[in-house]
Amino acid sequence: MVAKTEIHAQQQTLPGTERLMEPQAIFIRDDYRGSGKLENKVALITGADSGIGRSAAIHFAREGADVAVTYLSEEEDAQETKRLVEAEGRHCLLIGGDLRDAEFCRDAVAQVVETFGGLNVLVNNAGTQWVSEDLTTLEDVQWEQTFATNMHSMFYLTKAALPHLGEDDTIINTTSVNAYIGPDFLVDYTATKGAIVSFTRSLSNQVVGRGIRVNAIAPGPVWTPLQPATLGAHDPQMLEDFGADTPMGRAAQPCELGPCYVFLASLDSSFISGQTLHPNGGTVVNG
Ligand code: NAD
Ligand code: MG
């Protein structure tokens, strides 16, 4: 069992960094044993410098994959992810830049294919949020930027990646429990996450005939830099209750997410496509 994380009031600025997290996050359980589920696969994971993406990167490496990692500007966090992937005996390619830029997305996929000779798993995970409690004061530019980061980037990356994917390759999109419960202070973010669920379903139907599976993961509250940089920046006290409203009464550690990504990336989920996994502490969402 993963113990409840005691989170105190704290604040960061976006995009946030792991170094300032108190307490530090846990990315993989010491007793997690790899069994070659992703042997010699190549994965591209966006936003894997930190948080959920970093956990997925380390788990993929322990399962035998080489991993390319994109990050916005968190150089120090990205270098640490690279060190952790390499400690598992696999290669790690770091690609820094802004996923709102279609050209950068295309270039990122090209770099992965050039470096590793192919691509098998695309994890569209990078994302951002911003607390806004009143739609009438939500700036147009904020709305557009949230969609550009969370949704448009997925389109650009997936479009560039699909020609390289084939039989048994997979795409995994990170959505959120918020797509299902609709918190009143994250309307733009929640709308992007709903779009990601529908994107996943429709894209799955389009490519499943080629043997490519497309699924989503809808995490509940997870202890990552995104939270002190957004909820904490809005009101540091919001973090003290982070996760308390889940049936398990706590937030997850990133190490509780990585195995979900392994499952959907590997043949263990060979009959699953167009679906969403719900690692959310027990919240029943029926979707
Ligand atoms: P995180 O801050 O560790 O990771 C998000 C990453 O996205 C950052 O590391 C950053 O490099 C990247 N990113 C942000 N804007 C970018 C841009 N414009 N261009 C390129 N990269 C950019 O936080 P996390 O919680 O691990 O977030 C990962 C995903 O999980 C996000 O999509 C988030 O919405 C989702 N999620 C998180 C939670 C949670 O409670 N932490 C819950 C549900 C869903
Ligand atoms: Mg980060």
Side-chain angles (χ1 to χ4, degrees), residues 68-101:
V69 163
T70 78
Y71 61 102
L72 181 57
S73 57
E74 307 96 311
E75 191 62 41
E76 191 183 322
D77 278 353
Q79 289 295 343
E80 177 63 4
T81 298
K82 181 174 162 70
R83 190 188 68 74
L84 291 164
V85 166
E86 289 174 350
E88 302 294 337
R90 303 304 309 192
H91 297 289
C92 183
L93 172 69
L94 296 181
I95 310 171
D98 194 331
L99 293 168
R100 288 171 291 191
D101 176 357

Side-chain angles (χ1 to χ4, degrees), residues 245-266:
D245 56 352
T246 66
M248 290 190 193
R250 66 175 179 86
Q253 283 288 348
C255 67
E256 297 178 277
L257 276 293
C260 299
Y261 289 80
V262 169
F263 174 64
L264 291 179
S266 72

Side-chain angles (χ1 to χ4, degrees), residues 14 17 35 70 77 90 111 123 184 213 220 239 262:
L14 276 169
T17 167
S35 59
T70 78
D77 278 353
R90 303 304 309 192
Q111 276 193 55
V123 180
D184 60 3
R213 295 179 297 105
L239 290 179
V262 169

Side-chain angles (χ1 to χ4, degrees), residues 49-50 52 72 74 98-99 125 175 189 193 219-220 222 224 227:
D49 52 289
S50 56
I52 295 167
L72 181 57
E74 307 96 311
D98 194 331
L99 293 168
N125 168 75
T175 174
Y189 174 84
K193 294 301 182 179
V222 188
T224 72
Q227 304 306 345

Side-chain angles (χ1 to χ4, degrees), residues 1 23 36 39 42 48 129 132 144 150 153 163 176 196 202 230-231 249 265:
M1 189 177 147
E39 199 68 53
V42 175
Q129 63 184 18
S132 166
E144 288 159 12
N150 295 4
S153 63
S176 168
I196 290 166
S202 186
T230 56
L231 303 189

Side-chain angles (χ1 to χ4, degrees), residues 21-256:
M21 302 273 288
E22 171 48 39
Q24 289 284 288
I26 303 166
F27 296 97
I28 192 164
R29 297 191 328 269
D30 290 340
D31 65 352
Y32 183 95
R33 300 273 170 267
S35 59
K37 287 181 195 290
L38 301 175
E39 199 68 53
N40 297 325
K41 299 281 187 191
V42 175
L44 167 58
I45 311 176
T46 63
D49 52 289
S50 56
I52 295 167
R54 181 192 279 180
S55 176
I58 301 167
H59 282 81
F60 280 15
R62 193 165 289 186
E63 294 289 358
D66 291 325
V67 187
V69 163
T70 78
Y71 61 102
L72 181 57
S73 57
E74 307 96 311
E75 191 62 41
E76 191 183 322
D77 278 353
Q79 289 295 343
E80 177 63 4
T81 298
K82 181 174 162 70
R83 190 188 68 74
L84 291 164
V85 166
E86 289 174 350
E88 302 294 337
R90 303 304 309 192
H91 297 289
C92 183
L93 172 69
L94 296 181
I95 310 171
D98 194 331
L99 293 168
R100 288 171 291 191
D101 176 357
E103 191 57 45
F104 170 71
C105 294
R106 288 191 280 272
D107 184 59
V109 171
Q111 276 193 55
V112 177
V113 172
E114 195 182 308
T115 304
F116 294 122
L119 177 62
N120 306 108
V121 183
L122 171 64
V123 180
N124 287 310
N125 168 75
T128 195
Q129 63 184 18
W130 191 257
V131 176
S132 166
E133 284 161 341
D134 180 354
L135 192 83
T136 64
T137 58
L138 179 61
E139 298 289 346
D140 294 358
V141 67
Q142 181 60 51
W143 178 270
E144 288 159 12
Q145 290 303 312
T146 307
F147 269 82
T149 305
N150 295 4
M151 187 67 245
H152 300 345
S153 63
M154 269 190 204
F155 166 64
Y156 304 141
L157 282 161
T158 305
K159 188 173 169 182
L162 271 174
H164 303 286
L165 302 182
E167 190 79 28
D168 291 336
D169 291 342
T170 57
I171 298 172
I172 306 169
N173 302 321
T174 304
T175 174
S176 168
V177 69
N178 288 341
Y180 297 86
I181 60 178
D184 60 3
F185 58 95
L186 290 170
V187 175
D188 53 338
Y189 174 84
T190 298
T192 66
K193 294 301 182 179
I196 290 166
V197 173
S198 298
F199 175 68
T200 301
R201 290 173 173 169
S202 186
L203 183 68
S204 169
N205 282 325
Q206 186 173 103
V207 301
V208 77
R210 290 170 50 195
I212 303 167
R213 295 179 297 105
V214 186
N215 289 292
I217 296 181
V222 188
W223 185 227
T224 72
L226 183 64
Q227 304 306 345
T230 56
L231 303 189
H234 179 74
D235 174 5
Q237 297 296 328
M238 275 175 99
L239 290 179
E240 296 202 323
D241 295 331
F242 187 58
D245 56 352
T246 66
M248 290 190 193
R250 66 175 179 86
Q253 283 288 348
C255 67
E256 297 178 277

